[in-house]
Amino acid sequence: MSSKAHTALVELREDLDGDVFAPWDPGYDEARAVFNARVDRRPAVIAQCAHEADVVRAVCFGRELDLNIAVRGGGHSVAGMGTNDTGLVVDLRRMHGVTVDPVAEAVRVEGGATTGHLDRAAQPYGLATTGARDSTTGVAGCVLGGGSGWLERSCGVAADNLLGVELVTARGDRIHASTDENPELFWALHGGGGNFGVATALTLKLYEVPEFALALVHYLPEHAREAVRTYREVIGSGPLEAAGAVVRQSGPPADLMPSSPAGGPLCSVLLTYAGSCEDLRKLAEPLLALPHEAEVVTAIPYADAQCLLDRPPGPRHHWSAEYLSAAPDDFVDAFCAVADSPPVPAGTRQMLFPLGGAVADAPDDHVVPYRDATWAVHPFAGWAEPADDERCVEWVRDVRAAVRPWSTGAVHLNFAGDEGRDRLRAGLGPQNMWRLGAVKRRYDPDNVFRFNHNIKPV
């Protein structure tokens, strides 16, 4: 380390109210670990910021030393976009405050807060908003990337509920974006991700969700096709408050998703409902009438339901998605056939979930190119051994290939890793690329914030 860098690091440690880690510091390895164990990177400096002023100081430190800068919120990026090698990580996890305004039905969420932080804070008021399906996912990354969750059919995708963003730019300036302030930047933040600065806080619209319920029904694989078709019909004829997913999971899942009596995989249908358990049970009757191994039908706090599919950090992961124009019977056959051949005995999860409703009806000006999709397939592989890397990654590709005949071509980038420029265009919308590039040029002309689904300045 040069004398200049050493002096700057000493000053950064003195200036920050948060913690600073270098490779020789105790706690460094814990601080650099991210959700996906396939990602093993060694930043030169990790700045765990305590507040917005710390973020400004950290960004200026990185610019002064010409370090690559990555921004970490929840750290769930499958490609490890919240970290880097030999650069600076601006780590927001200490900034996880959530302030609910029940009268305005709005919430201010700091940049390091998780979906769990948001849901738990809003729950006492009977309020909620669309958030990720894993409670440990960061809110900022979820929302700025579009954001998908159980409430999207009735409340819109997460980005549709964005009211304002507090941002630190590449120059260390503090700015606010909303419909009235920096409106072009605000538009870009509806799906453009972390390309334009460090989001230190977001303000989101909340909705009244005083009751929530779910039905979870487990079927043997031989009944999977009938279960998927029945779920499709239940969703097609049901209210927009109904959502959920078909989950094909290999091996013994957790708690409410037990393995079959023979120890093999199950086809599980999760039907969620933003309403009463009594109404949900009526809605679920066709699913309960099919031959099944187990069932759970219960009222549940929304914040608890959000934890149902949580996966612990530590294993190796790969996932992706395809967004579909329809889910006809031949699609159901293809979806079930590829699920019957998981690459490892445990850890793979193949989801099918519905869209439509508020997803389709929201302003099409937002950077969300998949609004016309009616269903989405989300293959998610988790495994322990590096020797299984190739076949698990290939399985995700195989699932995508199997359902591609029904794909719209668009994708939700939060469900994709670093899959090349064509997928980036599919996730941002080809019609948006020039406009997004112009916003990038204005707020980050040097592409300082490039560890993301990167938009080039134009």
Side-chain angles (χ1 to χ4, degrees):
M1 177 179 288
S2 68
S3 59
K4 176 183 176 181
H6 175 76
T7 300
L9 180 61
V10 170
E11 293 175 349
L12 182 68
R13 292 185 192 273
E14 293 174 349
D15 291 346
L16 251 65
D17 287 333
D19 295 320
V20 177
F21 293 92
W24 53 85
D25 289 328
Y28 170 80
D29 283 333
E30 181 180 358
R32 72 183 179 89
V34 292
F35 180 78
N36 188 357
R38 293 181 70 209
V39 178
D40 184 19
R41 297 181 185 144
R42 300 187 64 83
V45 179
I46 301 169
Q48 293 187 339
C49 300
H51 43 63
E52 187 181 52
D54 276 1
V55 174
V56 172
R57 180 67 182 89
V59 169
C60 292
F61 165 84
R63 297 301 306 273
E64 178 187 353
L65 295 183
D66 196 26
L67 294 173
N68 287 330
I69 301 176
V71 182
R72 174 173 182 166
H76 263 244
S77 163
V78 67
M81 294 175 178
T83 186
N84 59 30
D85 282 315
T86 69
L88 167 68
V89 171
V90 179
D91 186 338
L92 305 179
R93 283 176 295 169
R94 291 186 57 170
M95 298 171 58
H96 54 73
V98 178
T99 304
V100 177
D101 185 339
V103 176
E105 295 189 342
V107 60
R108 181 182 180 273
V109 184
E110 290 188 329
T114 65
T115 298
H117 290 130
L118 167 59
D119 295 337
R120 296 294 176 191
Q123 185 79 59
Y125 303 99
L127 299 171
T129 193
T130 304
R133 294 175 177 85
D134 186 311
S135 70
T136 64
T137 300
V139 172
C142 171
V143 173
L144 299 182
S148 176
W150 305 131
L151 296 179
E152 64 191 340
R153 282 167 40 83
S154 57
C155 301
V157 301
D160 292 340
N161 297 306
L162 189 60
L163 301 176
V165 182
E166 298 162 42
L167 204 74
V168 173
T169 70
R171 293 181 300 195
D173 297 330
R174 308 183 198 190
I175 61 174
H176 184 264
S178 66
T179 54
D180 298 322
E181 298 178 78
N182 301 301
E184 188 69 359
L185 172 62
F186 189 56
W187 167 81
L189 292 169
H190 285 76
N195 274 279
F196 313 102
V198 184
T200 56
L202 299 84
T203 302
L204 304 170
K205 177 177 173 56
L206 294 171
Y207 298 84
E208 294 184 8
V209 185
E211 294 183 281
F212 199 80
L214 62 84
L216 187 61
V217 191
H218 307 293
Y219 307 89
L220 292 176
E222 53 261 39
H223 300 300
R225 286 164 174 78
E226 187 178 9
V228 176
R229 289 193 293 267
T230 302
Y231 173 68
R232 179 190 63 194
E233 301 309 316
V234 167
I235 290 295
S237 61
L240 295 181
E241 289 77 14
V246 175
V247 183
R248 295 295 304 271
Q249 182 155 326
S250 64
D255 296 341
L256 291 181
M257 299 182 68
S259 60
S260 70
L266 288 169
C267 173
S268 299
V269 173
L270 172 65
L271 182 62
T272 62
Y273 185 65
S276 72
C277 186
E278 180 182 0
D279 289 343
L280 170 68
R281 182 172 284 279
K282 294 176 183 176
L283 190 65
E285 283 177 356
L287 292 164
L288 298 170
L290 300 177
H292 58 280
E293 300 303 294
E295 66 181 68
V296 177
V297 182
T298 184
I300 185 173
Y302 173 71
D304 291 345
Q306 284 283 78
C307 303
L308 183 62
L309 297 182
D310 281 5
R311 298 289 290 263
R316 306 172 77 79
H317 294 288
H318 185 68
W319 61 79
S320 191
E322 289 289 339
Y323 278 65
L324 314 177
S325 58
D329 287 349
D330 51 353
F331 158 78
V332 173
D333 291 340
F335 174 83
C336 291
V338 73
D340 289 338
S341 303
V344 292
T348 61
R349 176 188 291 165
Q350 181 177 321
M351 293 176 61
L352 169 69
F353 57 84
L355 300 166
V359 177
D361 295 340
D364 59 8
D365 184 51
H366 291 172
V367 190
V368 181
Y370 51 85
R371 292 203 185 274
D372 59 344
T374 56
W375 293 87
V377 171
H378 180 29
F380 186 120
W383 66 100
E385 299 300 328
D388 290 325
D389 284 4
E390 184 175 348
R391 60 177 174 164
C392 289
V393 171
E394 188 62 30
W395 174 78
V396 171
R397 295 195 189 104
D398 288 346
V399 174
R400 286 185 53 208
V403 304
R404 194 167 293 131
W406 300 274
S407 175
T408 67
V411 68
H412 178 200
L413 284 178
N414 282 356
F415 288 158
D418 185 2
E419 299 179 6
R421 296 297 293 178
D422 287 345
R423 285 284 273 180
L424 178 69
R425 291 172 62 84
L428 296 173
Q431 73 279 8
N432 295 320
M433 295 300 290
W434 185 89
R435 186 178 174 187
L436 287 166
V439 177
K440 178 75 169 181
R441 184 184 68 242
R442 178 176 178 183
Y443 292 95
D444 185 14
D446 299 322
N447 201 13
V448 170
F449 301 113
R450 64 174 72 99
F451 291 91
N452 44 45
H453 290 106
N454 194 232
I455 298 165
K456 307 293 185 185
V458 298

